Every structure is written in structure tokens, then in C-alpha cells.
Amino acid sequence: MKIFREKAAGRAICAVAGMALGLSALVAQAADTIKVGVLHSLSGTMAISETTLKDTVLMMVDAQNKKGGVLGKKLEAVVVDPASNWPLFAEKARELLQKEKVDVVFGCWTSVSRKSVLPVFEELNGLLFYPVQYEGEESSKNVFYTGAAPNQQAIPAVDYLMNEVGVKRWVLAGTDYVYPRTTNKILEAYLKSKGVKDEDIMINYTPFGHSDWQSIVSDIKKFGSAGKKTAVVSTINGDANVPFYKELGNQGIAAEDIPVVAFSVGEEELSGIDTKPLVGHLAAWNYFMSVDTPENEAFIEQWHKFIKDENRVTNDPMEATVIGFNMWVKAVEKAGTTDVDAVEQAMIGISVPNMTGGMAVMNKNHHLSKPVLIGEIQEDGQFDVVWETEGTVPGDAWSDYLPGSRDIIADWTPPIKCGNYNTKTKKCSGQNF
């Protein structure tokens, strides 16, 4: 009986050991890839803009794997669809970080989606690369902002209209959420600092997916008939742009009469629609597909080869995604690990080529230095660059034109390591707000 018990015990020990080895093998197998989360809307009102960014990340993952991956491991893309549903963004972010155990996430378009996921990334110490222009007034340890801050898009666009076009009256038209409202708050303060009076500023907000523009465009037309040069500064997002521009054409508002400068209309939004009513209107970005550089030519060729469609366009958020991805790869290789804290510090100071012939640099505030370009819409849906900055402009996380922000900086290097450090009180008032 004693011998039987000893044999049974031995078999149990072997079984446990075998299970442990099996689990170890599974863990080792799981660790063989570095997981890259993709958090972009593939359905709903923002799919018109975000689906392409999902494809861009997949292209970069594929290209990096052909180079041998990162740290000797292949990259594995994990794609989810938050479906233009802002609370669902937070759920999907949690799923990527907790369930899928991704090492990095590339995602979000609207600021309301970014605001939705921000607490999740900070709670779980995830890493998000956000590739779209936004309103500023934020800097998180867990986010790298590769799109434009207001001083890299909105302010230069207004300067261009004011100085080069002679605009005196301003329509600030946006979708009703945080990015347009905060950007227009900054622009209103900026315009008033330049002597523009209240009666020369019209502000209007519409819901996501808004389609009935007849009365609003009529109001814009009336506002622009006061004898002063008028322009529309548009922070309208998503598929609402299509009926907006169509209604401008219906009411005979040409770019020569009331030019529109858009911050969310790029090549992707223009593809597949009749661009005749849009010809001559403007957009402010940090990249246009029409830029003639070897870097951009190679980028377009890579995109067409990957997507297998010569007619697919490139745009600014795609460039920002590529820049962020390439920076993350360099930072991981520099840190020798995908650990978020190590990569976050390694990211600061990293530089990679942009597509306009210069270098993108990640600054201490987790924002890039970027060139600013104004493009005029052409009949073929491309942009003719009519103005650009000399060199790059460092992104400013906190606006110089808002009273509560002008004394605040973001600096994620020691000894400050803070997203909103007050330069007067010498205190950090919290991570982000």
C-alpha cells in the first residue's frame, strides 16, 4: 500500500510538473509577439476618416515584420471597432490593455473619444499614440500627441486668412464636442487680442452627422454680406462635411466670396465626392499628399502597394500615425523593452523623418515639432500648397491665449515630470487637468 501511494504521489507530481511546463510554454508562446492595439472606428459617422488609419497601422506592422520585427519579435496587430461610440472607446481600450495585453495602442480621432479612453490608459498604465489635430489643454504621461496642437494648425490658419487674404469677419463653425469648442475658445481669444470685435465673430455648432445645412449656410451668407471680407474656420468633423460643402455650392458661395479653411477635411474626406463646389477652399494641415519630396513619394508608393489600390489617397493623420509608429519602434529599441515607463522616457528627443522633407522631433511635452501648411482644394481632390512655415513649429500643449493656461507647461523629464506645471507657482496641479 505504501508503494502504491508513493507511485500515485509521483504520478501527481509529474502531472503538476507537466501542467506547469505546458503553461510556461503557452506564456513563452504568447510572449513571442509584441501586440499592437488598433483603436479606430470602422463603423459609424467617423468611419469615413478612421478606417484608413487602421489600415495605416496594419501597413506599418507588416513593414516592420518584414524587417525582422522589434527586439527579435514579430508584431501582432489587435484591431477593435469602437464604432464612433465614445463610451465604447473606453470599453475597447480596457479590452486591449487588460484582455489582449497589448504593448501599445494607436487610435482615436475625435477628442471626445480620446477623453473617454484617457482615464483607462492612466489607470492601467497603457501607451496611446494619438494622430489627429486637437484642441490642446492636455498632456498625459500615457499619451503621445502626434497630430497638431492649436498653435500648429488653428492659429497659423487664422494668421494666413488675416494677413494674406484680408479677412475681417469670422465664422467659427464646428461639430458640437470638446475639440471644436475648445479650439474656438482659443481662436476667439486670439482674434480679440488682434482687435476683432464681438459683432465680427459668429460661432455655430452642429451635432455629429448633421445633414440639414440650408438655414446655417444661409446665416453664413447673410453674415458675410456686411461689406467686410468674411471666412469660415471649420472644425466640422466626419461625414457632416459632405452636405456642408454641397450646400455652400447650392447657395452659390464660392471660395472667392467666403473662403472656408478646414481643420478636419483632408484627401480621404474629399475622395469619392464631387469636389467642384469645394475648389478654392482651404485646409490647414502639417502634410498634404501633393507635397513633392522623395520621402513622400516613397510613402505613397508603400501605401498603394500595401492597400492594392492606386487610387487610395494619403493624408495628414496617416503621416502622423507613421511618425508615431516609427518613433515607438526607435524608443522600444533604445529602451530594450516594451515596458511603458521605459518607452515613455526613451520617446523624448526621438526624431524621425517626416514626409515634407524635414525631421519630426518628440518634445518634452509629448508633442511633436511639425511644419504647418495651408492647402487649396483642387478639382482632383488634392491640395495645392499656398503657404507654409519656415521649418517646424513645436507643439504647445497649453494655449498662450487662455488665462488659465498661459502660465502652464508640460514637461515629462526630471525633475518636473508633470503635464501641467505652473511656472509661476512652481507647482504641478495634477497629471492632466
Side-chain angles (χ1 to χ4, degrees), residues 88-340:
L88 188 57
F89 265 88
E91 292 180 32
K92 291 296 183 181
R94 190 172 291 276
E95 176 186 322
L96 286 172
L97 294 173
Q98 282 189 320
K99 181 184 174 184
E100 299 292 347
K101 307 291 186 187
V102 298
D103 296 282
V104 64
V105 176
F106 294 86
C108 299
W109 182 292
T110 66
S111 285
V112 67
S113 66
R114 190 193 69 258
K115 293 287 189 186
S116 176
V117 305
L118 188 57
V120 178
F121 278 88
E122 291 178 348
E123 174 198 340
L124 301 176
N125 199 30
L127 192 61
L128 172 67
F129 281 78
Y130 178 66
V132 186
Q133 85 289 349
Y134 87 120
E135 70 282 359
E137 308 305 292
E138 177 184 300
S139 180
S140 169
K141 180 180 81 70
N142 298 89
V143 182
F144 285 96
Y145 307 80
T146 58
N151 73 306
Q152 296 171 307
Q153 186 187 37
I155 297 295
V158 165
D159 282 342
Y160 172 79
L161 290 171
M162 191 178 288
N163 300 327
E164 304 294 329
V165 184
V167 172
K168 304 292 184 185
R169 300 200 96 194
W170 304 84
V171 179
L172 308 182
T175 303
D176 193 5
Y177 74 107
V178 61
Y179 161 62
R181 284 191 173 273
T182 306
T183 299
N184 287 340
K185 188 178 177 183
I186 292 167
L187 288 179
E188 186 179 12
Y190 182 68
L191 289 170
K192 288 180 178 178
S193 76
K194 295 292 184 180
V196 178
K197 295 182 171 62
D198 284 337
E199 59 264 30
D200 288 327
I201 302 173
M202 171 184 167
I203 302 175
N204 178 266
Y205 296 103
T206 46
F208 278 99
H210 189 71
S211 59
D212 183 9
W213 288 94
Q214 189 171 351
S215 62
I216 295 170
V217 170
S218 179
D219 289 342
I220 292 171
K221 189 174 183 178
K222 184 178 179 181
F223 185 78
S225 64
K228 296 180 180 179
K229 185 64 177 179
T230 302
V232 177
V233 179
S234 172
T235 46
I236 299 165
N237 252 273
D239 52 14
N241 277 293
V242 176
F244 169 64
Y245 281 100
K246 187 176 180 181
E247 187 59 34
L248 288 175
N250 290 343
Q251 298 198 28
I253 299 176
E256 299 82 30
D257 306 319
I258 302 177
V260 177
V261 60
F263 301 156
S264 296
V265 173
E267 292 85 349
E268 184 69 15
E269 288 74 23
L270 296 181
S271 63
I273 68 170
D274 180 13
T275 57
K276 287 186 179 66
L278 288 73
V279 171
H281 288 297
L282 306 165
W285 290 102
N286 310 111
Y287 163 87
F288 289 111
M289 185 178 181
S290 58
V291 170
D292 185 15
T293 63
E295 294 85 358
N296 192 33
E297 185 180 345
F299 172 46
I300 295 168
E301 184 180 350
Q302 180 188 10
W303 172 240
H304 286 162
K305 185 177 179 181
F306 176 80
I307 210 70
K308 296 179 174 60
D309 185 352
E310 292 288 324
N311 295 318
R312 286 289 294 274
V313 296
T314 58
N315 63 22
D316 180 285
M318 287 177 66
E319 188 216 27
T321 297
V322 170
I323 287 171
F325 187 93
N326 287 335
M327 285 185 163
W328 172 75
V329 169
K330 284 187 74 172
V332 169
E333 290 173 342
K334 178 181 173 183
T337 176
T338 58
D339 175 76
V340 168

Side-chain angles (χ1 to χ4, degrees), residues 402-430:
L402 297 180
S405 300
R406 60 172 60 109
D407 298 324
I408 298 176
I409 63 165
D411 184 341
W412 289 106
T413 59
I416 294 177
K417 295 197 78 170
C418 171
N420 51 2
Y421 179 78
N422 191 304
T423 56
K424 286 190 173 179
T425 64
K426 308 294 183 188
K427 290 182 180 178
C428 181
S429 53

Side-chain angles (χ1 to χ4, degrees), residues 366-408:
H366 284 196
H367 290 66
L368 289 178
S369 292
K370 299 163 73 77
V372 186
L373 294 77
I374 307 290
E376 185 179 283
I377 299 172
Q378 306 297 296
E379 278 197 34
D380 61 358
Q382 290 294 322
F383 291 86
D384 178 36
V385 177
V386 295
W387 180 89
E388 61 184 296
T389 53
E390 291 184 19
T392 57
V393 178
D396 192 353
W398 298 92
S399 174
D400 295 335
Y401 303 101
L402 297 180
S405 300
R406 60 172 60 109
D407 298 324
I408 298 176

